[in-house]
Amino acid sequence: MRVSRNFVIIGTSLLVFIIFLGLWALMPHRVIESSPPPAVTHDGELLRIRAGGPLDGRLTVEPIGTALTPHQVALPAQIIAAPGQTIDIHSPVVGRVASLHVQTGQHVQAGDSLATLYSGDLAQAWSDSRKAQSALTLARNAYRRAVGVLAAGGNAVKDMQSAQNDLKQAEAEAHRAQQRLQALGTNGDEGSQPLIAPFSGVVTAISTGVGQNVTDMTAALMTISNIDTVWVQASLPESLLPMLGTTMTLEAPFPGQTCSGPVTAQDPAFRTDTRRMNLYLRCNNPQERLHPGQFTTATLNITQKAQPLLPKTALLMDNDQISVFIEVAPKTYRRRYVTISYEEGDSVRILSGLTTGERVITHGAVLLNDY
């Protein structure tokens, strides 16, 4: 009887234990996990990326290249007439416009008649010339007679000298009168004054008409421009002056034609109204496709020495300084401060801090910036 009771107690205990284990297995348990190693570890100035970590594979590392291309600057530009190839036509005398022989946009050749004026001043110039020629003829004959009489012994030396003096004065007056006619540009017609084209070109403006009285000789009657050769004028801002070099080229695209070549000339001083310095490029225009006043955006190419070139995505701002991360070993990087120069599209030139061939994080460097 005692043995049976012991078996019952033991069986009951086992049953309770089994039920307890089953209930324990059914209860939720909190699993204590160990923290993973850090993604980045510090080793002095070095940053080491854990293999297989969240940053592994997200950083792009590339070697530094060298830029041999010139630095390019975009400048506003326009076509202007070549210096000395645009002139205003003025009347050398007062008078009245008798006829116009040209119209705006017309091509003229050197020596062509542009207009004709009637002028009293011209008539006076012709009268002075005829008087001078007549006085010269009389003085020349008187001098010859004085020389002949002196040779025959019938005249004093002073009479010959007086006649010689009169001759020299008459020659000077005749020369002056002739020079005045040449200065007026007369073609030999005593009653009219032609306006002659000084060179071949295009009549760009006319500001007179038939019957107009010309009383102001400083007022332009018309304008002629020769556009066989034009200049491209590019405006350089004052802030870009330090970029100028000794070797520069300009490239200016226009519809149907592109002008390019070395900078022909530049202004010696800035324009006070725009604070810009003008650079000039001579451009041949035989087909006259280019016209003064056309605008474009010119590219100024400034020759540079070989410099490291980096994408802008590699640059980081650190306390007002610019830095990059260089690779010193696989998955190991060090911060390096650099000095940049010009921007070249999506890249920048490096003045100091890096050398060609070093490996730099070009994409994803911002992920390390806070470590």
Side-chain angles (χ1 to χ4, degrees):
M1 194 68 180
R2 184 184 297 267
V3 175
S4 299
R5 184 180 298 172
N6 289 339
F7 277 115
V8 171
I9 293 172
I10 293 172
T12 303
S13 299
L14 289 174
L15 180 61
V16 171
F17 181 72
I18 292 172
I19 294 173
F20 177 78
L21 288 179
L23 294 174
W24 176 264
L26 294 175
M27 291 178 63
H29 301 281
R30 186 177 67 177
V31 178
I32 300 176
E33 298 180 355
S34 60
S35 60
V40 179
T41 58
H42 288 265
D43 185 5
E45 296 181 350
L46 302 180
L47 297 179
R48 301 184 186 276
I49 304 300
R50 177 168 60 86
L55 296 183
D56 191 13
R58 299 183 63 184
L59 305 179
T60 302
V61 181
E62 297 176 323
I64 300 174
T66 300
L68 297 175
T69 56
H71 176 54
Q72 296 184 330
V73 180
L75 302 175
Q78 65 172 323
I79 291 292
I80 63 172
Q85 296 301 306
T86 296
I87 64 169
D88 293 329
I89 304 298
H90 299 263
S91 173
V93 294
V94 296
R96 182 171 57 87
V97 178
S99 60
L100 280 176
H101 309 150
V102 295
Q103 60 184 358
T104 302
Q106 180 176 335
H107 287 72
V108 296
Q109 301 298 319
D112 286 354
S113 178
L114 305 175
T116 300
L117 287 84
Y118 292 142
S119 171
D121 289 349
L122 180 62
Q124 181 65 49
W126 274 107
S127 176
D128 292 343
S129 178
R130 289 195 301 271
K131 291 178 181 178
Q133 289 296 328
S134 178
L136 176 60
T137 301
L138 179 62
R140 186 177 291 122
N141 293 335
Y143 174 70
R144 291 173 181 171
R145 285 194 302 269
V147 171
V149 173
L150 179 63
N155 198 4
V157 174
K158 68 174 183 178
D159 294 332
M160 187 274 295
Q161 292 175 340
S162 178
Q164 186 181 32
N165 178 66
D166 293 341
L167 175 60
K168 290 182 178 180
Q169 292 187 25
E171 289 175 342
E173 179 61 19
H175 181 72
R176 182 201 65 78
Q178 186 62 31
Q179 288 294 314
R180 173 162 171 72
L181 287 177
Q182 292 180 1
L184 294 178
T186 181
N187 63 352
D189 187 349
E190 297 185 21
S192 61
Q193 169 64 40
L195 299 181
I196 303 299
F199 53 71
S200 301
V202 180
V203 179
T204 59
I206 296 178
S207 55
T208 188
V210 176
Q212 179 178 345
N213 289 319
V214 179
T215 58
D216 184 3
M217 291 185 293
T218 63
L221 302 183
M222 60 186 68
T223 302
I224 296 179
S225 294
N226 183 354
I227 59 174
D228 289 340
T229 299
V230 295
W231 280 31
V232 178
Q233 175 184 284
S235 299
L236 181 77
E238 186 176 4
S239 59
L240 299 182
L241 181 61
M243 294 185 181
L244 292 184
T246 56
T247 305
M248 299 179 295
T249 61
L250 270 174
E251 183 176 351
F254 294 94
Q257 184 173 347
T258 297
C259 299
S260 61
V263 173
T264 304
Q266 67 182 60
D267 286 344
F270 282 93
R271 300 296 177 93
T272 56
D273 54 344
T274 61
R275 300 308 304 165
R276 287 177 176 264
M277 175 185 289
N278 290 330
L279 307 178
Y280 301 97
L281 170 66
R282 182 184 294 109
C283 183
N284 292 328
N285 188 33
Q287 304 299 324
E288 295 187 359
R289 295 176 179 174
L290 305 179
H291 301 275
Q294 283 184 269
F295 285 88
T296 189
T297 298
T299 301
L300 176 65
N301 301 296
I302 306 174
T303 302
Q304 302 286 309
K305 62 181 181 180
Q307 292 174 315
L309 194 68
L310 270 184
K312 293 179 182 179
T313 53
L315 304 180
L316 300 169
M317 292 299 299
D318 182 40
N319 295 329
D320 296 331
Q321 291 182 298
I322 300 176
S323 64
V324 298
F325 281 105
I326 63 171
E327 184 183 59
V328 297
K331 302 184 186 306
T332 304
Y333 308 96
R334 175 187 286 118
R335 186 186 296 271
R336 180 82 61 79
Y337 292 98
V338 298
T339 304
I340 65 173
S341 177
Y342 308 134
E343 295 185 2
E344 301 290 353
D346 293 332
S347 302
V348 293
R349 294 177 184 265
I350 305 300
L351 290 180
S352 63
L354 294 174
T355 57
T356 302
E358 289 188 294
R359 293 175 59 80
V360 175
I361 298 179
T362 57
H363 294 83
V366 67
L367 300 175
L368 295 179
N369 199 36
D370 294 332
Y371 286 97

